[in-house]
Amino acid sequence: SFTKDQHPDLKVDYVMTNPPFNLKKWRAEDELLKDPRWDGYDVPPTSNANYGWILHILSKLNPTDGVGGFLLANGALDDEDTLNIRRQLIENDKVEAIIVLPREMFYSTDISVTLWILNQNKKGGVYHDRKLRDRTGEVLFMDLRTWNETIYEKKYVKLTPEQIAAATKIYHDWQQKKIGATPELFYSATKKELAERNYSLVPSRYIEFVDRDTELDYKTALKTIGAQSAALVERQVENGLTLVKALKKLGYGGGGR
């Protein structure tokens, strides 16, 4: 039903899916050029089906409050071939959250992937007994790549119930009130910031990451390294002298054998 839509009139409140990543040559150059699923957007390129899936999902969402959650390869966050579609999605305020997951969550691949959340209504109001604020022009970025300590068989990583609850809390709190950013975890970016970064959806371009090297006291570190080096040289000299004395006792060197 992807290349030939079997449900052209279907509209749903929710979509949850894991489409295949990075499908090449998924349509012919002259195929699906006027497909209604792309209405208002550029036609997804033949080189990669990722944005074909995104627009397919978006086209099926209830236009008043439909929400879609799906996984894609991280390359879709900043793919040059789909820059204009990504810009259109952001300008149309369809992207609500981008959440990068840890590596090795799949048996079939070890790559890190992204959970996208699209929302047809970011203007706020009561939703499932929660009063949501107006998030127009905002996108929540989360980076969970370090949440990888729970290892199952075959090095399979799985988020714990506590981690899922923590990520959910960040998302729900952000929907209900403005929350401050947490370095190396999440950041709420504005449409202006997205435009300044050429509509990239790579979380690390927005989330603050701490430069551990700048926290070093270089003078103290150099003194410590210098002292350790001097001590090492001193021990090497002592070892050399001890070896020479031992060889002399055995009759080597100084005119001996």
Side-chain angles (χ1 to χ4, degrees), residues 14-233:
Y14 306 102
V15 169
M16 183 173 66
T17 184
N18 177 20
F21 301 160
N22 301 323
L23 282 178
K24 312 298 182 186
K25 298 180 179 179
W26 60 284
R27 64 174 182 85
E29 289 288 350
D30 59 350
E31 188 180 14
L32 302 176
L33 299 181
K34 296 183 179 180
D35 194 295
R37 291 173 293 178
W38 332 137
D39 283 353
Y41 295 88
D42 287 6
V43 178
T46 60
S47 59
N48 197 311
N50 287 340
Y51 277 75
W53 288 113
I54 293 173
L55 295 182
H56 173 69
I57 293 164
L58 181 63
S59 73
K60 301 303 177 187
L61 292 178
N62 183 324
T64 59
D65 59 3
V67 178
F70 53 90
L71 298 175
L72 279 181
N74 290 350
L77 299 171
D78 203 23
D79 188 345
E80 189 64 30
D81 290 347
T82 54
L83 170 59
N84 204 43
I85 302 177
R86 190 163 52 254
R87 178 190 65 78
Q88 293 165 328
L89 287 166
I90 293 168
E91 291 293 343
N92 292 340
D93 235 348
K94 302 302 182 184
V95 182
E96 173 151 83
I98 296 291
I99 304 167
V100 175
L101 301 175
R103 295 183 58 177
E104 298 175 328
M105 294 193 76
F106 294 87
Y107 284 120
S108 56
T109 179
D110 68 349
I111 64 172
S112 168
V113 303
T114 308
L115 170 61
W116 292 58
I117 299 179
L118 303 183
N119 198 330
Q120 294 277 44
N121 180 9
K122 293 163 64 178
K123 294 182 179 179
V126 177
Y127 185 77
H128 292 283
D129 299 324
R130 293 186 297 122
K131 187 176 181 180
L132 308 187
R133 67 181 181 88
D134 187 350
R135 290 103 56 216
T136 301
E138 297 179 39
V139 175
L140 176 66
F141 290 96
M142 297 175 62
D143 191 325
L144 308 184
R145 287 177 296 174
T146 61
W147 292 17
N148 60 355
E149 61 270 21
T150 306
I151 309 296
Y152 287 78
E153 71 278 8
K154 298 182 183 179
K155 293 185 69 177
Y156 170 59
V157 173
K158 184 177 181 180
L159 297 180
T160 65
E162 293 77 17
Q163 289 173 323
I164 294 171
T168 301
K169 185 177 187 306
I170 293 171
Y171 176 53
H172 283 175
D173 284 352
W174 173 82
Q175 285 186 313
Q176 295 176 264
K177 60 187 178 184
K178 283 187 175 290
I179 56 176
T182 295
E184 302 184 344
L185 182 56
F186 70 85
Y187 182 82
S188 180
T190 64
K191 194 181 292 185
K192 181 175 182 291
E193 289 174 298
L194 293 163
E196 289 172 348
R197 290 163 178 77
N198 202 29
Y199 297 98
S200 171
L201 289 175
V202 176
S204 60
R205 299 202 63 185
Y206 305 93
I207 298 173
E208 178 187 356
F209 282 82
V210 178
D211 185 354
R212 314 278 179 203
D213 291 338
T214 61
E215 298 177 352
L216 290 174
D217 182 340
Y218 284 103
K219 289 184 179 180
T220 301
L222 287 172
K223 286 181 180 178
T224 301
I225 293 170
Q228 291 173 341
S229 299
L232 178 60
V233 170

Side-chain angles (χ1 to χ4, degrees), residues 236-254:
Q236 288 176 327
V237 170
E238 291 175 352
N239 292 338
L241 291 173
T242 300
L243 178 60
V244 168
K245 290 178 180 178
L247 289 173
K248 283 183 176 181
K249 284 183 178 181
L250 292 172
Y252 290 93

